[in-house]
């Protein structure tokens, strides 16, 4: 994630109202909740824009994940209940059977993310769990989240 990530870098958004139970003993959203947020925005997009359903023959398995809330060179702000968050989604790499997502967690009305993370899905046939090329509608939907810069880099 670039320290210059901005709201305009993300192409799909989902609002999330934090819950009291999202906070930990330090009164901010617990680290594990970020992964719930990532899962929510990715799956909302797959269901709404890529023709996937809970009965699809093809499913995505998470093979890697990451979340950056703060580092020594970048400080991202903590979020907590009762904030409303905007979850921004984009695709940073689109392969034949895999996709890597980046999710930014924005406080509502802010242009700089509080946290950035994501994960990689490998798409498999539901019954056999064997990797296979993405269905056309899935690939088309995901390609709409691929920025021009990432699209050019993935072809190199």
């Amino acid at each position: 994630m670039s320290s210059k990530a901005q709201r305009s870098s993300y192409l799909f958004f989902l609002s999330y109202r934090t819950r009291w139970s999202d906070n930990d003993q330090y009164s901010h959203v617990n680290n594990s909740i970020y992964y719930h947020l990532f899962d929510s925005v990715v799956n909302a997009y797959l269901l709404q824009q890529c023709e996937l359903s809970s009965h699809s023959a093809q499913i995505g398995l998470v093979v890697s994940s990451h979340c950056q809330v703060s580092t020594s060179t970048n400080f991202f702000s903590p979020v907590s209940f009762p904030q409303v968050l905007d979850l921004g989604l984009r695709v940073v790499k689109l392969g034949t059977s895999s996709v890597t997502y980046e999710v930014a967690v924005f406080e509502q009305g802010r242009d700089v993310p509080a946290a950035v993370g994501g994960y990689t899905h490998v798409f498999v046939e539901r019954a056999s769990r064997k990797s296979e090329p993405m269905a056309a509608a899935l690939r088309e939907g995901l390609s709409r989240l691929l920025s021009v810069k990432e699209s050019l880099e993935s072809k190199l």
Side-chain angles (χ1 to χ4, degrees), residues 118-139:
Y119 57 85
T120 299
H121 260 156
V122 171
F123 288 91
V124 300
E125 193 276 323
R126 178 184 293 274
S128 71
R129 297 292 203 259
K130 290 188 179 184
S131 174
E132 62 180 17
M134 286 179 232
L138 173 60
R139 185 170 182 75

Side-chain angles (χ1 to χ4, degrees), residues 86-104:
D86 293 328
L87 311 175
L89 177 65
R90 67 180 175 174
V91 167
V92 295
K93 186 176 180 186
L94 185 60
T96 302
S97 63
S98 66
V99 59
T100 301
Y101 310 97
E102 184 176 279
V103 178

Side-chain angles (χ1 to χ4, degrees), residues 42-55:
V42 167
N43 282 295
Y45 187 82
L46 292 174
L47 292 169
Q48 295 171 18
Q49 304 293 324
C50 298
E51 298 182 17
L52 282 189
S53 74
S54 59
H55 304 293

